[in-house]
Amino acid sequence: MPYYEFEGVCPVVDPCAYVHPTAVVIGDVIIGPGVYVGPLCSLRGDYGRLILERGANIQDTCVMHGYEDTDTVVQQDGHIGHGAVLHGCVIGRNALVGMNAVVMDGAYIGDESIVAAMSFVKAGFQGLPRQLLMGSPAKVKREVTDQEIHWKNQNTYEYQMLARRSGATMDEVIPLTAVEPNRPRLKGSTDVKPLAEQKAG
């Protein structure tokens, strides 16, 4: 597992968290209980402190970093989509940052807010609760709906369960050379569907 002490500061990982073996965790990083850190994440605590609070997730190929004397924080139940970059910012409680979005230094994303995929949140942005942010630079489009919060909560719960499932069952193996008969399909913990599909239903 690639954890690295840096200048005498060692990462802290709660025993109930799951950090994929290909993620890299360096220096002043604090990972709380029930957190999921996906494959190929880079958590570089070699200047500022990085904090993932209880039940948060940060998915494949995400990057967290920050300047010295700053904290880059994903608060409780925060949900960070594939490929996002967080630099010196704070993601509020139960907020979601979409795939390949970028949130810059000194920005604050309010509780239960959603940053749409591919959005760019400028340095110093100060958000309020339940804002939907979209675009480059990101602008507030409207208030997040109860349906969107419900969908977000379902997905976050899936990742909280995935942390447990991964810790219990993920093993490095030699792949099969052919598809076996009656190959099983993997199921989540809930029947969560893409948001667009839910809105159409």
Side-chain angles (χ1 to χ4, degrees):
M1 186 70 69
Y3 297 116
Y4 299 96
E5 179 181 89
F6 184 79
E7 294 184 347
V9 180
C10 186
V12 177
V13 180
D14 187 276
C16 296
Y18 177 78
V19 179
H20 191 274
T22 62
V24 178
V25 181
I26 299 169
D28 195 1
V29 180
I30 301 169
I31 297 174
V35 167
Y36 174 87
V37 177
L40 304 175
C41 284
S42 176
L43 308 182
R44 265 185 58 210
D46 51 10
Y47 289 109
R49 177 169 294 167
L50 312 181
I51 302 170
L52 290 163
E53 293 184 359
R54 176 184 294 272
N57 69 77
I58 183 163
Q59 299 167 23
D60 323 47
T61 72
C62 288
V63 174
M64 286 181 74
H65 193 241
Y67 289 109
E68 61 181 279
D69 297 325
T70 65
D71 291 352
T72 305
V73 183
V74 180
Q75 292 182 350
Q76 183 170 337
D77 297 331
H79 188 101
I80 312 302
H82 316 287
V85 177
L86 308 179
H87 202 281
C89 57
V90 175
I91 309 303
R93 182 187 54 77
N94 205 35
L96 180 149
V97 175
M99 300 177 202
N100 288 311
V102 176
V103 186
M104 291 298 294
D105 300 279
Y108 173 75
I109 304 302
D111 296 350
E112 296 190 324
S113 291
I114 294 176
V115 178
M118 304 291 290
S119 295
F120 177 82
V121 180
K122 294 196 298 187
F125 173 84
Q126 294 299 294
L128 299 173
R130 282 209 166 194
Q131 291 178 322
L132 176 64
L133 301 166
M134 299 177 69
S136 183
K139 298 188 183 310
V140 178
K141 296 298 182 182
R142 58 173 172 80
E143 186 172 283
V144 173
T145 67
D146 289 344
Q147 182 187 25
E148 288 163 338
I149 291 295
H150 176 70
W151 169 80
K152 185 267 169 204
N153 290 341
Q154 284 183 298
N155 280 279
T156 301
Y157 176 74
E158 285 289 350
Y159 272 92
Q160 290 166 348
M161 293 306 296
L162 186 59
R164 296 181 190 178
R165 293 167 64 196
S166 296
T169 70
M170 191 175 296
D171 290 307
E172 189 171 351
V173 296
I174 297 171
L176 303 175
T177 57
V179 177
E180 68 271 47
N182 302 313
R183 183 176 175 86
R185 286 190 177 270
L186 297 170
K187 299 284 188 185
S189 302
T190 64
D191 191 26
V192 65
K193 303 289 186 207
L195 185 58
E197 187 177 321
Q198 290 191 12
K199 287 184 174 179

